[in-house]
Amino acid sequence: MQKVTLTIDGKTCFGKEGRTVLEVALENGINIPHLCYDPRLEAYGGCRMCLVEIEGMRGMVTSCTVKVKEGMKVVTDNELLHHHRVMVLKLILANHPFDCMICSKSGDCSLQELAYNLGIENIEPFQKEERNFPLTVDNPLVELDRNKCIHCGRCIRICNEVVQRDVLSFAKRGFNTVVTTPIYRSFEESDCEFCGQCISSCPTGALTEKPSKGKGRTCDIKRVRTTCGYCGTGCNFYLNVNIKGKKVVKVTSCFEGPVNNGNLCVKGRFGYEFIHHPDRILKPMIRKNSGLQEVSYEEAINYTAGRFLELKKKYGPDSLGAFSSSRCTNEENFLVAKLARAVFGTKNIDNCARVCHAPSVTGLSACFGSGAATNSFDQIEGADVLFITGSNTTEAHPIVGLKVKRALRKGVKLIIADPRKIELVKRADIWLDLRPGTNIALLNGMMNVIISGKLQNDKFIRDRTEGYEALKETVKKYTPQYVEKITGVDRNKIIEAAKLYAKAPKSMILYSLGMTEHVTGTYNVMSMGNLAMLCGHVGRESTGVNPLRGQNNVQGACDMGALPNVFSGYQSVEDPVVRSKFEKIWGVSLPDKKGLQSTKMIEAAHEGKLKGLFILGEDPCHTDPNMNLVRKSLENLEFLVVQELFPTKTTEIADVVLPAASFAECNGTFTNGERRIQLVRRAIPPLCGRENWQTICDLSTAMGYPMHYNHPSEIMEEVAFLSPIFAGVTYERLADKGLQWPIPDRKHMGTCTMYEKAFNFPAGLGKFNAIQHKDPAEMPDKKYPYVLITGRRREHYNNGSMSRRNKGIFELWPEETLEINPEDAEKLKISDGEYINLISRRGKVKIKASITERAKEGRFFTSFHFIDTLTNTVTNSVFDPLAGTPEYKACAVKVEKI
């Protein structure tokens, strides 16, 4: 966009072509009163508050609809404009409740602020005529007071334009006009996903958060901007803290957030109550007399240090291991890796990316030389075609889902490859409903169509890749007819999808755990890399291959070297030059070989080879497959230490439990799925008395390796010094919008798009990897005739220890269900809502049936969030041989009536 120069109230201002007068005025620090404007919405011009005078235009015009032009002269305030605004506002207040100036949204209400700023003391010449609608409180999260509604339409528009759920609309006419759901249904009966975007857009107290009602006056609240602790999208918001009680009482939107622009999902907006839940672990505990007993920090740390030193001396350093956490900050992950390598002396360090996105790191590195997303989320809207595979984006990553829906609204084409009829299928141009575990065959089939139709990008292949001939030979047999037999996808759909992807100027792949949680997970990722390079859809804006990360810092945990084969910044532990650099700074000799992956550590514990384990913020006894075997393995350890927020299935068997601080109680950084490093700011003092990094430092010091930092920023300075891709990172530089790595120096502004220049892949050239289809490890048979797919629910997160402790969210989704196709249900004589047993070769679990078309015949689906429905009792503990990731997405099961 070109810049234009204009004058606003005599001040020379600059703005981008295509922006409105209101937007440019606000960007230049000039406030024009407005009520119906929201930067996330299309221009509306309904409230008439933002009227201005523009030289050469007749009368007053709405500044929110007029685009700026070179040389434009604008007047935002004079006697006529002021009089007009006062009269409009008095008309609105005439129908507004008497308690306007003292309502619960006081201090955060645009109407009230305008009334103060315009000096309104009465509504003359108008008469007061209040409405008397009952409060709408038919759900656990949102309260609607129609008496305070000013009919600006913002809630309706944001639901229709941004969320695209069409839950709200106007009903009736004139004085009785109201905002309502279709045919006055309750919010829960409507299509509402309780994202709260309507609340964030409402300029009055008409829409408010029920859980925060009565928890503090505005004057008692401080707001702290931070980064969300749920999924890997990296949304920013404000934690609202009651200063007197030092409690987080509400979340409000941060419109400056670089990823979400004020939008949030149900967990981001309402999922904060777990912070102060009475179940929190606030004191250290040591197992004594077969039970966990509270002790002082000093006793717990000294006991833990002594036991680890004892095991190290008796069995050697590699008898010890550590699991770090994708839920914790970069700084905490870096310190756990340092604790393992420099203090334990072990090479066995890993994090919970192992059971989800480890194939992304391994597979993308094999193709491009780096294991992270190639593009920014904002580039989704610039694509011509989106190919989403193995990702239920609108539920697992709702804010990325909003960007996808916005792109579709602009005309972007959509290909979905998924064995379930997920929400985005109804918006897709093509749905490739493949059998679980047949991703490679499908992608090879698309590449067969592209090559046989001469649609490949020969120049890109010639100039920027190697290994093409082997790929070409491999995919030759994957004709659409052959692939149809393997995948079950109609051959014509395969042809259509291949042509659509290849012919588009810009095609972008988005994927998630539906691609990685297979025995072929790494090969699945490599196949997506093959497809992108074949068509030259990488190294440019709005193209590339982009994993959607599940946990808030799964990218950062890997970046920080909490992996068995690399230090921070993906520097090989086997490289003597790299290792000597770390040894010099850390002052110790470090292991020179790769360590065990977390899943291999569990096997080693089962075999009696691993004796001691430190776990930060992970619950393998709940989240790992074949969990009965996992529990037995961890019970076989001589010493298990778990640092956690809440009691879990893993803390049940721990010898020491150390308290953890939540994201609201910590300073540090998270790295989201687009490689953006963002600040996490402490809103309240840690309820357990210490931030997590302090506890790790105390343990290290007690083991004879003094580890001292004054603040997490000092830890990040060490990371930056040791890691070239983070060399330009400082907390000061992250403060506004964060930075996307690589950031090679302190003048570098971060990297939005990877591999833009020729020979810009870390290895110089991108590498094609010729791969054959391989069936899942466990196929349906007569005894176990169905395939179970596991995944996530919008309302919950990981093992549910956080999300289930938010009362309103829990009411929305209080228990797990097994999705079954109606035809399968009829054959099995199972009715909707009936409890059944789900059985595999490893165990069984009781679960409620949900009869739905979302499940295709022969395929069941459920999540793993609930402690009373332990889905991983039945899942299969077979692993990707390269990344060590379990195959959660395909195991053979049967069901029986209870």
Side-chain angles (χ1 to χ4, degrees), residues 362-370 374 447 460-472 474 522-535 538 545 755 759-771 882:
T362 310
L364 291 176
S365 295
C367 295
F368 307 139
S370 180
T374 57
M447 288 186 277
F460 187 92
I461 294 167
R462 182 179 62 250
D463 295 347
R464 300 202 58 188
T465 68
E466 59 182 345
Y468 171 63
E469 291 302 323
L471 176 80
K472 183 178 179 181
T474 296
T522 299
Y523 293 133
N524 291 347
V525 175
M526 290 179 184
S527 295
M528 289 184 286
N530 289 340
L531 178 62
M533 289 188 291
L534 182 65
C535 301
V538 67
V545 184
Y755 323 124
F759 298 100
N760 196 222
F761 294 112
L765 297 174
K767 182 175 176 57
F768 285 107
N769 297 272
I771 299 162
L882 298 178

Short mmCIF file of all heavy atoms in Angstrom, two decimals, residues 362-370 374 447 460-472 474 522-535 538 545 755 759-771 882:
data_model
loop_
_atom_site.label_atom_id
_atom_site.label_comp_id
_atom_site.label_asym_id
_atom_site.label_seq_id
_atom_site.Cartn_x
_atom_site.Cartn_y
_atom_site.Cartn_z
N THR A 362 11.32 -33.26 12.85
CA THR A 362 12.14 -34.21 12.09
C THR A 362 11.85 -34.15 10.60
O THR A 362 12.77 -34.11 9.77
CB THR A 362 11.89 -35.64 12.62
OG1 THR A 362 12.01 -35.66 14.04
CG2 THR A 362 12.87 -36.63 12.02
N GLY A 363 10.57 -34.13 10.25
CA GLY A 363 10.17 -34.18 8.84
C GLY A 363 10.48 -32.90 8.08
O GLY A 363 11.00 -32.94 6.95
N LEU A 364 10.15 -31.75 8.68
CA LEU A 364 10.43 -30.48 7.99
C LEU A 364 11.93 -30.25 7.88
O LEU A 364 12.42 -29.68 6.90
CB LEU A 364 9.76 -29.33 8.73
CG LEU A 364 8.23 -29.29 8.68
CD1 LEU A 364 7.68 -28.16 9.54
CD2 LEU A 364 7.71 -29.16 7.25
N SER A 365 12.69 -30.68 8.90
CA SER A 365 14.15 -30.56 8.83
C SER A 365 14.70 -31.39 7.68
O SER A 365 15.64 -30.96 6.99
CB SER A 365 14.79 -31.01 10.14
OG SER A 365 14.42 -30.15 11.20
N ALA A 366 14.12 -32.56 7.45
CA ALA A 366 14.60 -33.43 6.37
C ALA A 366 14.33 -32.81 5.00
O ALA A 366 15.09 -33.04 4.04
CB ALA A 366 13.92 -34.79 6.46
N CYS A 367 13.27 -32.02 4.90
CA CYS A 367 12.92 -31.38 3.62
C CYS A 367 13.62 -30.04 3.43
O CYS A 367 14.23 -29.79 2.38
CB CYS A 367 11.41 -31.15 3.54
SG CYS A 367 10.42 -32.64 3.50
N PHE A 368 13.51 -29.19 4.44
CA PHE A 368 13.94 -27.79 4.30
C PHE A 368 15.18 -27.45 5.12
O PHE A 368 15.77 -26.39 4.93
CB PHE A 368 12.81 -26.86 4.73
CG PHE A 368 11.49 -27.11 4.05
CD1 PHE A 368 10.30 -27.05 4.76
CD2 PHE A 368 11.43 -27.41 2.70
CE1 PHE A 368 9.08 -27.27 4.15
CE2 PHE A 368 10.20 -27.64 2.07
CZ PHE A 368 9.03 -27.57 2.80
N GLY A 369 15.53 -28.31 6.08
CA GLY A 369 16.67 -28.03 6.93
C GLY A 369 16.32 -27.38 8.25
O GLY A 369 17.19 -27.16 9.08
N SER A 370 15.05 -27.07 8.46
CA SER A 370 14.60 -26.45 9.70
C SER A 370 13.20 -26.96 10.02
O SER A 370 12.37 -27.07 9.11
CB SER A 370 14.60 -24.92 9.57
OG SER A 370 14.16 -24.32 10.77
N THR A 374 6.79 -22.41 7.92
CA THR A 374 7.48 -21.57 6.93
C THR A 374 6.90 -20.18 6.82
O THR A 374 7.53 -19.29 6.26
CB THR A 374 7.42 -22.24 5.54
OG1 THR A 374 6.05 -22.45 5.17
CG2 THR A 374 8.14 -23.57 5.54
N MET A 447 0.68 -36.00 -6.24
CA MET A 447 1.92 -35.71 -6.97
C MET A 447 1.98 -36.46 -8.29
O MET A 447 2.52 -35.96 -9.29
CB MET A 447 3.13 -36.03 -6.09
CG MET A 447 3.31 -35.03 -4.94
SD MET A 447 4.81 -35.26 -3.97
CE MET A 447 4.30 -36.52 -2.83
N PHE A 460 11.68 -24.22 -10.14
CA PHE A 460 11.94 -24.35 -8.71
C PHE A 460 12.65 -25.66 -8.42
O PHE A 460 13.62 -25.71 -7.65
CB PHE A 460 10.63 -24.27 -7.93
CG PHE A 460 10.81 -24.23 -6.43
CD1 PHE A 460 10.91 -23.03 -5.76
CD2 PHE A 460 10.91 -25.41 -5.69
CE1 PHE A 460 11.09 -22.99 -4.38
CE2 PHE A 460 11.09 -25.38 -4.32
CZ PHE A 460 11.18 -24.16 -3.67
N ILE A 461 12.18 -26.73 -9.07
CA ILE A 461 12.79 -28.05 -8.85
C ILE A 461 14.26 -28.02 -9.28
O ILE A 461 15.15 -28.52 -8.56
CB ILE A 461 12.02 -29.13 -9.64
CG1 ILE A 461 10.60 -29.30 -9.05
CG2 ILE A 461 12.76 -30.46 -9.61
CD1 ILE A 461 9.65 -30.10 -9.92
N ARG A 462 14.52 -27.44 -10.43
CA ARG A 462 15.88 -27.41 -10.97
C ARG A 462 16.82 -26.53 -10.13
O ARG A 462 17.95 -26.91 -9.83
CB ARG A 462 15.84 -26.90 -12.41
CG ARG A 462 17.19 -26.86 -13.11
CD ARG A 462 17.06 -26.37 -14.55
NE ARG A 462 16.55 -25.01 -14.62
CZ ARG A 462 15.34 -24.69 -15.07
NH1 ARG A 462 14.50 -25.63 -15.46
NH2 ARG A 462 14.95 -23.42 -15.12
N ASP A 463 16.32 -25.37 -9.74
CA ASP A 463 17.19 -24.39 -9.07
C ASP A 463 17.32 -24.58 -7.58
O ASP A 463 18.34 -24.20 -7.00
CB ASP A 463 16.65 -22.97 -9.32
CG ASP A 463 16.72 -22.56 -10.78
OD1 ASP A 463 17.40 -23.26 -11.57
OD2 ASP A 463 16.08 -21.56 -11.14
N ARG A 464 16.31 -25.19 -6.93
CA ARG A 464 16.29 -25.11 -5.47
C ARG A 464 16.13 -26.45 -4.76
O ARG A 464 16.00 -26.48 -3.53
CB ARG A 464 15.18 -24.16 -5.02
CG ARG A 464 15.32 -22.73 -5.56
CD ARG A 464 14.58 -21.73 -4.71
NE ARG A 464 15.05 -21.76 -3.33
CZ ARG A 464 14.48 -21.10 -2.33
NH1 ARG A 464 13.43 -20.34 -2.55
NH2 ARG A 464 14.95 -21.19 -1.10
N THR A 465 16.13 -27.57 -5.50
CA THR A 465 15.89 -28.86 -4.84
C THR A 465 16.86 -29.94 -5.35
O THR A 465 17.54 -29.76 -6.35
CB THR A 465 14.45 -29.36 -5.09
OG1 THR A 465 14.30 -29.69 -6.48
CG2 THR A 465 13.43 -28.32 -4.70
N GLU A 466 16.84 -31.06 -4.64
CA GLU A 466 17.55 -32.27 -5.09
C GLU A 466 16.70 -33.49 -4.76
O GLU A 466 15.83 -33.45 -3.89
CB GLU A 466 18.91 -32.37 -4.41
CG GLU A 466 18.85 -32.44 -2.90
CD GLU A 466 20.23 -32.50 -2.25
OE1 GLU A 466 21.20 -32.77 -2.97
OE2 GLU A 466 20.32 -32.27 -1.03
N GLY A 467 16.92 -34.57 -5.49
CA GLY A 467 16.20 -35.81 -5.24
C GLY A 467 14.91 -35.96 -6.02
O GLY A 467 14.11 -36.86 -5.73
N TYR A 468 14.69 -35.10 -7.01
CA TYR A 468 13.41 -35.12 -7.72
C TYR A 468 13.18 -36.42 -8.49
O TYR A 468 12.08 -36.97 -8.50
CB TYR A 468 13.32 -33.92 -8.66
CG TYR A 468 12.11 -33.97 -9.60
CD1 TYR A 468 10.82 -33.95 -9.10
CD2 TYR A 468 12.29 -34.09 -10.98
CE1 TYR A 468 9.72 -34.02 -9.94
CE2 TYR A 468 11.19 -34.14 -11.84
CZ TYR A 468 9.92 -34.11 -11.31
OH TYR A 468 8.83 -34.18 -12.14
N GLU A 469 14.22 -36.93 -9.18
CA GLU A 469 14.04 -38.11 -10.03
C GLU A 469 13.59 -39.31 -9.21
O GLU A 469 12.75 -40.10 -9.66
CB GLU A 469 15.34 -38.42 -10.78
CG GLU A 469 15.70 -37.39 -11.84
CD GLU A 469 14.60 -37.21 -12.90
OE1 GLU A 469 13.95 -38.22 -13.26
OE2 GLU A 469 14.37 -36.06 -13.33
N ALA A 470 14.13 -39.47 -8.01
CA ALA A 470 13.72 -40.59 -7.15
C ALA A 470 12.26 -40.44 -6.74
O ALA A 470 11.51 -41.42 -6.70
CB ALA A 470 14.62 -40.66 -5.92
N LEU A 471 11.85 -39.21 -6.44
CA LEU A 471 10.45 -38.97 -6.09
C LEU A 471 9.55 -39.30 -7.28
O LEU A 471 8.51 -39.98 -7.12
CB LEU A 471 10.25 -37.51 -5.69
CG LEU A 471 8.79 -37.13 -5.41
CD1 LEU A 471 8.37 -37.57 -4.02
CD2 LEU A 471 8.56 -35.63 -5.57
N LYS A 472 9.93 -38.82 -8.43
CA LYS A 472 9.14 -39.04 -9.65
C LYS A 472 8.94 -40.53 -9.91
O LYS A 472 7.84 -40.98 -10.25
CB LYS A 472 9.85 -38.39 -10.83
CG LYS A 472 9.12 -38.48 -12.16
CD LYS A 472 9.90 -37.74 -13.24
CE LYS A 472 9.19 -37.85 -14.59
NZ LYS A 472 9.97 -37.14 -15.65
N THR A 474 9.10 -42.93 -7.63
CA THR A 474 8.30 -43.51 -6.54
C THR A 474 6.81 -43.29 -6.73
O THR A 474 5.99 -44.20 -6.51
CB THR A 474 8.75 -42.93 -5.18
OG1 THR A 474 10.09 -43.30 -4.95
CG2 THR A 474 7.87 -43.43 -4.05
N THR A 522 6.53 -38.82 10.60
CA THR A 522 7.62 -38.07 9.98
C THR A 522 7.52 -38.15 8.46
O THR A 522 7.73 -37.15 7.75
CB THR A 522 8.98 -38.62 10.45
OG1 THR A 522 9.07 -38.46 11.87
CG2 THR A 522 10.13 -37.87 9.79
N TYR A 523 7.19 -39.34 7.94
CA TYR A 523 7.06 -39.49 6.49
C TYR A 523 5.87 -38.71 5.95
O TYR A 523 5.90 -38.21 4.82
CB TYR A 523 6.95 -40.97 6.12
CG TYR A 523 8.21 -41.77 6.41
CD1 TYR A 523 8.14 -42.99 7.07
CD2 TYR A 523 9.46 -41.28 6.03
CE1 TYR A 523 9.29 -43.72 7.34
CE2 TYR A 523 10.61 -42.00 6.30
CZ TYR A 523 10.53 -43.22 6.95
OH TYR A 523 11.66 -43.93 7.21
N ASN A 524 4.80 -38.61 6.74
CA ASN A 524 3.66 -37.78 6.33
C ASN A 524 4.10 -36.33 6.13
O ASN A 524 3.74 -35.67 5.16
CB ASN A 524 2.56 -37.82 7.40
CG ASN A 524 1.86 -39.16 7.49
OD1 ASN A 524 2.01 -40.01 6.63
ND2 ASN A 524 1.10 -39.36 8.55
N VAL A 525 4.89 -35.82 7.10
CA VAL A 525 5.37 -34.44 7.01
C VAL A 525 6.30 -34.27 5.82
O VAL A 525 6.21 -33.30 5.07
CB VAL A 525 6.07 -34.03 8.33
CG1 VAL A 525 6.68 -32.64 8.21
CG2 VAL A 525 5.08 -34.07 9.49
N MET A 526 7.18 -35.23 5.61
CA MET A 526 8.06 -35.18 4.45
C MET A 526 7.25 -35.14 3.15
O MET A 526 7.61 -34.44 2.20
CB MET A 526 8.99 -36.40 4.43
CG MET A 526 10.05 -36.42 5.50
SD MET A 526 11.03 -37.94 5.36
CE MET A 526 12.12 -37.77 6.78
N SER A 527 6.17 -35.90 3.10
CA SER A 527 5.34 -35.93 1.89
C SER A 527 4.70 -34.58 1.60
O SER A 527 4.57 -34.18 0.45
CB SER A 527 4.25 -37.01 2.03
OG SER A 527 4.83 -38.29 2.11
N MET A 528 4.31 -33.87 2.68
CA MET A 528 3.78 -32.52 2.46
C MET A 528 4.88 -31.59 1.95
O MET A 528 4.64 -30.74 1.09
CB MET A 528 3.19 -31.98 3.77
CG MET A 528 1.90 -32.67 4.17
SD MET A 528 1.13 -31.95 5.65
CE MET A 528 2.21 -32.56 6.93
N GLY A 529 6.09 -31.77 2.47
CA GLY A 529 7.22 -31.00 1.94
C GLY A 529 7.47 -31.30 0.48
O GLY A 529 7.76 -30.39 -0.32
N ASN A 530 7.37 -32.58 0.11
CA ASN A 530 7.52 -32.97 -1.29
C ASN A 530 6.52 -32.25 -2.17
O ASN A 530 6.86 -31.71 -3.23
CB ASN A 530 7.32 -34.48 -1.44
CG ASN A 530 8.45 -35.31 -0.87
OD1 ASN A 530 9.56 -34.81 -0.68
ND2 ASN A 530 8.18 -36.57 -0.60
N LEU A 531 5.26 -32.26 -1.75
CA LEU A 531 4.19 -31.64 -2.54
C LEU A 531 4.43 -30.14 -2.71
O LEU A 531 4.28 -29.59 -3.81
CB LEU A 531 2.84 -31.89 -1.87
CG LEU A 531 1.61 -31.27 -2.54
CD1 LEU A 531 1.40 -31.84 -3.95
CD2 LEU A 531 0.36 -31.51 -1.69
N ALA A 532 4.82 -29.47 -1.62
CA ALA A 532 5.04 -28.03 -1.69
C ALA A 532 6.20 -27.70 -2.63
O ALA A 532 6.10 -26.79 -3.47
CB ALA A 532 5.31 -27.48 -0.29
N MET A 533 7.31 -28.43 -2.52
CA MET A 533 8.46 -28.15 -3.38
C MET A 533 8.17 -28.51 -4.83
O MET A 533 8.65 -27.84 -5.75
CB MET A 533 9.69 -28.92 -2.88
CG MET A 533 10.26 -28.37 -1.58
SD MET A 533 11.83 -29.12 -1.10
CE MET A 533 11.31 -30.78 -0.67
N LEU A 534 7.41 -29.56 -5.06
CA LEU A 534 7.07 -29.97 -6.42
C LEU A 534 6.40 -28.85 -7.20
O LEU A 534 6.63 -28.68 -8.40
CB LEU A 534 6.15 -31.20 -6.36
CG LEU A 534 5.72 -31.81 -7.70
CD1 LEU A 534 6.92 -32.40 -8.44
CD2 LEU A 534 4.65 -32.88 -7.48
N CYS A 535 5.59 -28.06 -6.49
CA CYS A 535 4.84 -26.98 -7.15
C CYS A 535 5.46 -25.60 -6.91
O CYS A 535 4.89 -24.59 -7.32
CB CYS A 535 3.38 -27.00 -6.66
SG CYS A 535 2.53 -28.55 -6.98
N VAL A 538 6.70 -22.84 -1.74
CA VAL A 538 7.44 -22.64 -0.50
C VAL A 538 8.46 -21.55 -0.78
O VAL A 538 8.90 -21.37 -1.91
CB VAL A 538 8.12 -23.96 -0.02
CG1 VAL A 538 9.21 -24.39 -0.99
CG2 VAL A 538 8.66 -23.83 1.38
N VAL A 545 4.48 -24.81 4.18
CA VAL A 545 3.97 -25.93 4.98
C VAL A 545 4.00 -25.49 6.44
O VAL A 545 5.06 -25.19 6.99
CB VAL A 545 4.84 -27.19 4.79
CG1 VAL A 545 4.25 -28.36 5.56
CG2 VAL A 545 4.97 -27.53 3.31
N TYR A 755 12.97 -19.14 3.87
CA TYR A 755 13.54 -19.67 2.63
C TYR A 755 13.18 -18.85 1.39
O TYR A 755 12.97 -19.40 0.31
CB TYR A 755 13.11 -21.13 2.40
CG TYR A 755 13.03 -21.96 3.64
CD1 TYR A 755 11.85 -22.64 3.98
CD2 TYR A 755 14.11 -22.07 4.51
CE1 TYR A 755 11.76 -23.40 5.14
CE2 TYR A 755 14.02 -22.83 5.67
CZ TYR A 755 12.85 -23.50 5.98
OH TYR A 755 12.77 -24.23 7.12
N PHE A 759 18.95 -20.83 -2.54
CA PHE A 759 19.95 -21.44 -1.66
C PHE A 759 19.80 -20.96 -0.22
O PHE A 759 20.75 -20.95 0.54
CB PHE A 759 21.38 -21.16 -2.18
CG PHE A 759 21.63 -21.74 -3.54
CD1 PHE A 759 21.58 -20.96 -4.67
CD2 PHE A 759 21.90 -23.10 -3.67
CE1 PHE A 759 21.79 -21.50 -5.92
CE2 PHE A 759 22.11 -23.66 -4.94
CZ PHE A 759 22.06 -22.85 -6.05
N ASN A 760 18.55 -20.59 0.12
CA ASN A 760 18.29 -20.09 1.47
C ASN A 760 17.86 -21.19 2.43
O ASN A 760 17.69 -20.95 3.61
CB ASN A 760 17.22 -18.99 1.41
CG ASN A 760 17.17 -18.15 2.68
OD1 ASN A 760 16.11 -17.82 3.16
ND2 ASN A 760 18.34 -17.80 3.22
N PHE A 761 17.66 -22.42 1.90
CA PHE A 761 17.46 -23.54 2.81
C PHE A 761 18.76 -23.75 3.58
O PHE A 761 19.85 -23.56 3.03
CB PHE A 761 17.11 -24.82 2.03
CG PHE A 761 15.79 -24.76 1.32
CD1 PHE A 761 15.73 -24.73 -0.06
CD2 PHE A 761 14.60 -24.73 2.03
CE1 PHE A 761 14.53 -24.68 -0.72
CE2 PHE A 761 13.38 -24.68 1.38
CZ PHE A 761 13.34 -24.66 0.00
N PRO A 762 18.69 -24.12 4.86
CA PRO A 762 19.93 -24.27 5.64
C PRO A 762 20.97 -25.17 4.99
O PRO A 762 22.17 -24.94 5.13
CB PRO A 762 19.40 -24.86 6.96
CG PRO A 762 18.04 -24.29 7.09
CD PRO A 762 17.48 -24.25 5.69
N ALA A 763 20.52 -26.19 4.24
CA ALA A 763 21.47 -27.08 3.56
C ALA A 763 21.75 -26.61 2.13
O ALA A 763 22.44 -27.31 1.38
CB ALA A 763 20.93 -28.51 3.55
N GLY A 764 21.23 -25.47 1.75
CA GLY A 764 21.42 -24.96 0.39
C GLY A 764 20.26 -25.31 -0.50
O GLY A 764 19.62 -24.43 -1.09
N LEU A 765 19.95 -26.60 -0.60
CA LEU A 765 18.85 -27.07 -1.45
C LEU A 765 17.80 -27.78 -0.61
O LEU A 765 18.13 -28.45 0.38
CB LEU A 765 19.38 -28.02 -2.53
CG LEU A 765 20.36 -27.44 -3.56
CD1 LEU A 765 20.89 -28.56 -4.45
CD2 LEU A 765 19.70 -26.35 -4.39
N GLY A 766 16.54 -27.66 -1.05
CA GLY A 766 15.49 -28.46 -0.44
C GLY A 766 15.62 -29.89 -0.92
O GLY A 766 16.04 -30.14 -2.05
N LYS A 767 15.24 -30.85 -0.06
CA LYS A 767 15.44 -32.25 -0.40
C LYS A 767 14.11 -32.98 -0.54
O LYS A 767 13.30 -33.00 0.38
CB LYS A 767 16.28 -32.94 0.67
CG LYS A 767 16.58 -34.40 0.39
CD LYS A 767 17.52 -35.00 1.43
CE LYS A 767 17.72 -36.49 1.21
NZ LYS A 767 18.24 -36.80 -0.13
N PHE A 768 13.88 -33.57 -1.73
CA PHE A 768 12.75 -34.48 -1.90
C PHE A 768 13.06 -35.80 -1.21
O PHE A 768 14.20 -36.29 -1.26
CB PHE A 768 12.49 -34.75 -3.39
CG PHE A 768 11.83 -33.61 -4.12
CD1 PHE A 768 12.55 -32.83 -5.01
CD2 PHE A 768 10.49 -33.32 -3.92
CE1 PHE A 768 11.95 -31.78 -5.70
CE2 PHE A 768 9.87 -32.27 -4.60
CZ PHE A 768 10.60 -31.50 -5.48
N ASN A 769 12.05 -36.38 -0.56
CA ASN A 769 12.20 -37.67 0.11
C ASN A 769 11.17 -38.64 -0.47
O ASN A 769 9.97 -38.48 -0.27
CB ASN A 769 11.97 -37.52 1.61
CG ASN A 769 12.99 -36.61 2.27
OD1 ASN A 769 14.03 -37.07 2.68
ND2 ASN A 769 12.70 -35.32 2.35
N ALA A 770 11.66 -39.60 -1.24
CA ALA A 770 10.76 -40.57 -1.89
C ALA A 770 10.24 -41.56 -0.85
O ALA A 770 11.02 -42.25 -0.20
CB ALA A 770 11.51 -41.30 -3.00
N ILE A 771 8.92 -41.63 -0.69
CA ILE A 771 8.32 -42.39 0.41
C ILE A 771 7.17 -43.26 -0.10
O ILE A 771 6.34 -42.81 -0.89
CB ILE A 771 7.80 -41.43 1.50
CG1 ILE A 771 8.96 -40.60 2.06
CG2 ILE A 771 7.10 -42.19 2.61
CD1 ILE A 771 8.52 -39.36 2.79
N LEU A 882 11.31 -42.78 13.51
CA LEU A 882 12.25 -41.66 13.44
C LEU A 882 12.03 -40.65 14.55
O LEU A 882 12.99 -40.19 15.17
CB LEU A 882 12.12 -40.96 12.08
CG LEU A 882 12.44 -41.81 10.84
CD1 LEU A 882 12.22 -41.01 9.58
CD2 LEU A 882 13.88 -42.31 10.90
#
